[in-house]
Amino acid sequence: MPLLSIRSIQKKDNVSVATIIRTVMTSFGAVGAGYSIEDPEVDQMYETYSGSRAAMYVVLNENKEVLGCGGYAPLTGGRQDVCELRKMYFLPQSRGHGMGRRMLEMILAKARADGYTYCYLETLDRMQKANQLYQMAGFVPLL
């Protein structure tokens, strides 16, 4: 099992994180208008999530290569107590080691500390493992 760790994003991670987001989204066919792959923030994740009540984290391997990311920020147009889980993506080699669960727990704990009571997320049905993780964490689909 590889030695993986999580830390806050740094400016030097921007290119790696953008590549991960684009790689994972493309692998799930989530390309084009309406998908987060098109968000302008993808190339500037450090800057976007450096503000108050927001955070972005990265998963690193033992060589300090970035293999995944995930964060939260206020839900656009939402109440003050609602954040959104954003840009949680992992390259295949970092999956299956419990890092998604660890990342999600870290994000939710930090969001609570920042005053959020609720967390919203958008995902794709075809991201089955991610959906299982979210459901195990207590997220419920909005219909």
Side-chain angles (χ1 to χ4, degrees), residues 10-74:
Q10 298 173 359
K11 186 171 179 60
K12 67 181 180 179
D13 302 323
N14 275 347
V15 172
S16 297
V17 169
T19 300
I20 289 167
I21 292 168
R22 290 185 175 112
T23 299
V24 174
M25 293 295 288
T26 300
S27 75
F28 282 95
V31 178
Y35 290 107
S36 63
I37 195 171
E38 298 293 326
D39 291 350
E41 71 185 41
V42 169
D43 290 309
Q44 298 177 345
M45 298 297 279
Y46 170 78
E47 292 81 0
T48 301
Y49 291 87
S50 292
S52 65
R53 301 190 77 215
M56 179 61 59
Y57 302 97
V58 294
V59 173
L60 305 170
N61 66 11
E62 58 273 3
N63 298 321
K64 305 299 181 204
E65 297 167 313
V66 179
L67 302 179
C69 59
Y72 71 94

Side-chain angles (χ1 to χ4, degrees), residues 64-129:
K64 305 299 181 204
E65 297 167 313
V66 179
L67 302 179
C69 59
Y72 71 94
L75 177 64
T76 303
R79 299 185 329 229
Q80 287 290 321
D81 65 338
V82 181
C83 69
E84 181 178 11
L85 181 69
R86 293 189 184 168
K87 309 288 191 296
M88 192 158 141
Y89 300 109
F90 295 81
L91 293 176
Q93 62 266 40
S94 64
R95 298 177 193 159
H97 303 288
M99 296 309 288
R101 180 184 47 77
R102 282 184 51 199
M103 174 80 78
L104 183 58
E105 288 171 355
M106 179 182 289
I107 289 168
L108 294 176
K110 179 75 166 85
R112 275 195 252 4
D114 275 348
Y116 295 108
T117 307
Y118 301 97
C119 185
Y120 171 85
L121 70 87
E122 292 181 0
T123 190
L124 302 171
D125 289 339
R126 58 189 172 270
M127 293 178 147
Q128 294 173 348
K129 293 288 186 185

